[in-house]
Amino acid sequence: MPNWELKHCCKHEQIVFLATLGVCAVVILALWRTVLLLPFKLVTVFIHEASHAIACKLTCGHVEGIQVHADEGGTTQTRGGVYWFILPAGYLGSAFWGMVLVLASTKLLTARIAAGCLLVTLIVVLFVAKNWTLRGLCIGFVLFLVVVWILQETTKIKILRYIILFIGVMNSLFSVYDIYDDLISRRVHHSDAEKFAEVCPCPCTGVGWGVIWGLISFLFLCGATYLGLVILS
């Protein structure tokens, strides 16, 4: 049975999981503003925008296009749907999918499933992408994941789980950092949180909504860490 109270923590696999997650977080924060992380950051932007699109579809709206730009920006053009549900879906969706990927990395089977789903998504988006940055990103990451998968299955280089974990942590941290960057370190008046404050009847500013979403995003990462330890117990 799952060890929900995490008694006698931590076993070898749990220690490796915690250590790897910590290393990923440190590396991501240390290299955040370097070109080395740009491909991974663009993937997180894509997942952010894809989360807007999913929310639009779930509320019976129409997605007219998704774009990811080389400057790490992105846009999702939608028509219809529930606006107050679509707007927070970018930040919170990125954190949610980050949590899913972190949990998927705990087992090889689930890591393979996550990588396969990501591959299929990138291939589908490749044919509907509206700009060449997103198309290039899709092609590049499809090739990258295929190479990682081949190495996993045919050599002693078993890195698929760690790549999935890295992408998961990247999404979780990107969600929190993006909120901080857009609303605290510099005020972006067209951010999702500012737009949400305009349409939501609740008396809360864009910064207020950003703080709330940031806390929720951080809790997603904490929850993923806890559940990951439970799975490995």
Side-chain angles (χ1 to χ4, degrees), residues 4 13 17 22 39 49 57 71 77 108 118 121 156 174 184 188 196 209 219 221 230:
W4 291 101
E13 286 192 348
F17 173 72
E49 299 303 332
K57 285 294 187 181
D71 63 356
Q77 295 86 34
L108 181 56
L118 188 55
T121 302
K156 294 183 179 180
F174 186 86
I184 298 175
V188 178
F196 188 78
W209 283 116
L219 289 175
L221 179 57
V230 170

Side-chain angles (χ1 to χ4, degrees), residues 165-215:
L165 176 61
F166 186 86
I167 297 173
V169 175
M170 185 80 185
N171 273 275
S172 299
L173 293 180
F174 186 86
S175 180
V176 176
Y177 183 86
D178 203 32
I179 292 170
Y180 168 79
D181 194 41
D182 284 351
L183 298 168
I184 298 175
S185 69
R186 60 186 180 91
R187 192 73 176 271
V188 178
H189 295 286
H190 58 273
S191 68
D192 293 338
E194 293 287 358
K195 293 178 182 177
F196 188 78
E198 295 175 0
V199 301
C200 181
C202 302
C204 195
T205 64
V207 174
W209 283 116
V211 171
I212 292 171
W213 295 351
L215 289 174

Side-chain angles (χ1 to χ4, degrees), residues 126-196:
L126 174 62
F127 292 98
V128 299
K130 296 295 185 180
N131 68 325
W132 279 105
T133 299
L134 182 52
R135 292 175 188 141
L137 176 68
C138 291
I139 294 171
F141 249 82
V142 165
L143 294 175
F144 172 71
L145 287 174
V146 168
V147 170
V148 169
W149 203 315
I150 291 173
L151 291 174
Q152 173 71 38
E153 303 300 332
T154 62
T155 72
K156 294 183 179 180
I157 304 176
K158 310 297 184 182
I159 59 173
L160 181 62
R161 287 175 57 190
Y162 302 110
I163 294 298
I164 295 300
L165 176 61
F166 186 86
I167 297 173
V169 175
M170 185 80 185
N171 273 275
S172 299
L173 293 180
F174 186 86
S175 180
V176 176
Y177 183 86
D178 203 32
I179 292 170
Y180 168 79
D181 194 41
D182 284 351
L183 298 168
I184 298 175
S185 69
R186 60 186 180 91
R187 192 73 176 271
V188 178
H189 295 286
H190 58 273
S191 68
D192 293 338
E194 293 287 358
K195 293 178 182 177
F196 188 78

Side-chain angles (χ1 to χ4, degrees), residues 52-111:
H52 283 306
I54 292 170
C56 177
K57 285 294 187 181
L58 289 176
T59 55
C60 302
H62 176 69
V63 179
E64 297 184 335
I66 297 176
Q67 294 186 27
V68 172
H69 306 297
D71 63 356
E72 301 170 26
T75 56
T76 301
Q77 295 86 34
T78 63
R79 186 175 70 251
V82 180
Y83 205 42
W84 59 263
F85 184 72
I86 296 171
L87 283 172
Y91 291 128
L92 300 184
S94 181
F96 171 78
W97 292 117
M99 179 183 71
V100 170
L101 291 172
V102 168
L103 293 177
S105 73
T106 57
K107 301 290 183 182
L108 181 56
L109 175 60
T110 50

